[in-house]
Amino acid sequence: MKISSSVAIIAAALLLVSCDKNRVFDEYKDVGSAWHQDSLVSFQTPVLEANKKYNMFLSLRDNNDYPFNNIFLIVKLEQPNKVTLVDTLEYAMANPDGSLLGDGFTDVKESKLAYKQNITAQKGIYKVSIQQAVRQTGKIAGVTELPGITDVGFRIEKTE
C-alpha cells in the first residue's frame, strides 16, 4: 500500500511541474521569522534568450504575524549589459478586514506580485536583489525586523 501511495504522490508532483510550462525560473529564500531591513535577498537567473518576452514576479510567503496592510520593497535588477534598474514598490498585503491576501489554506499565504511585465530580454544572466523598506506611519526610521514574512522569491515566466 505504501508503494502505491508513493507512486501516486510522485505522479501528482510530476503533473504539477508539467503544468507549469511557462516557468523559466522560480526560487525562494528563507528569511526566518522576521525580515531584517539590511537583509538583501538575491537571485541569479539562468541565461535568458535574447528578444524573447518574459514576465517577472516577486513572491512573498507571509503569516498572521505580518502587522501591516501593505509592504514596500526596493528591487534592484542588474541586466546582462550591467545596467541596473532600481525600483521602490508598494504592494497590498491584506484585505480591508485585515485578512491576508494571497493563496493558501493555512495561516501562511503566498503572494505572487507583478514586477516587470512583457519585457524583451537581453541574452544573459539577470541578477536581482530585494530588500524590505517598510516604515511605520509618522516615523522616519524603517522597521528593523519585519515580522511575518518567512520567504522571499523571484519568478520568471515566458509569455509566448
Side-chain angles (χ1 to χ4, degrees):
M1 192 73 158
K2 279 188 173 184
I3 292 173
S4 62
S5 297
S6 297
V7 171
I9 290 170
I10 291 170
L14 289 173
L15 182 62
L16 287 174
V17 169
S18 66
C19 291
D20 200 3
K21 64 183 179 189
N22 290 331
R23 180 185 62 186
V24 174
F25 179 82
D26 193 8
E27 185 177 321
Y28 278 87
K29 297 203 175 160
D30 182 0
V31 295
S33 60
W35 188 5
H36 193 278
Q37 70 181 4
D38 295 332
S39 175
L40 289 176
V41 180
S42 300
F43 302 93
Q44 184 170 305
T45 71
V47 174
L48 298 184
E49 296 180 51
N51 301 316
K52 296 282 185 179
K53 299 278 189 181
Y54 296 95
N55 292 328
M56 296 181 176
F57 299 91
L58 308 175
S59 302
L60 298 175
R61 289 186 183 132
D62 59 324
N63 60 39
N64 289 330
D65 292 335
Y66 190 74
F68 300 102
N69 290 328
N70 59 1
I71 191 167
F72 289 87
L73 303 172
I74 298 171
V75 182
K76 294 180 184 175
L77 177 68
E78 182 182 322
Q79 301 172 97
N81 64 2
K82 303 299 180 202
V83 171
T84 300
L85 306 174
V86 180
D87 294 297
T88 302
L89 306 167
E90 178 184 10
Y91 296 99
M93 296 297 289
N95 291 303
D97 68 0
S99 62
L100 294 173
L101 294 170
D103 295 327
F105 297 108
T106 64
D107 69 335
V108 176
K109 298 293 183 182
E110 186 170 320
S111 296
K112 181 178 173 183
L113 310 169
Y115 172 50
K116 300 280 185 192
Q117 300 296 295
N118 208 33
I119 65 161
T120 303
Q122 302 167 21
K123 181 178 174 130
I125 294 170
Y126 286 73
K127 296 177 184 174
V128 179
S129 66
I130 306 166
Q131 182 176 20
Q132 66 95 348
V134 175
R135 285 166 175 57
Q136 291 180 329
T137 303
K139 300 202 177 174
I140 295 171
V143 174
T144 304
E145 295 281 336
L146 184 60
I149 302 293
T150 60
D151 299 277
V152 178
F154 186 69
R155 179 179 173 94
I156 300 175
E157 297 176 355
K158 295 183 281 188
T159 62
E160 301 167 357

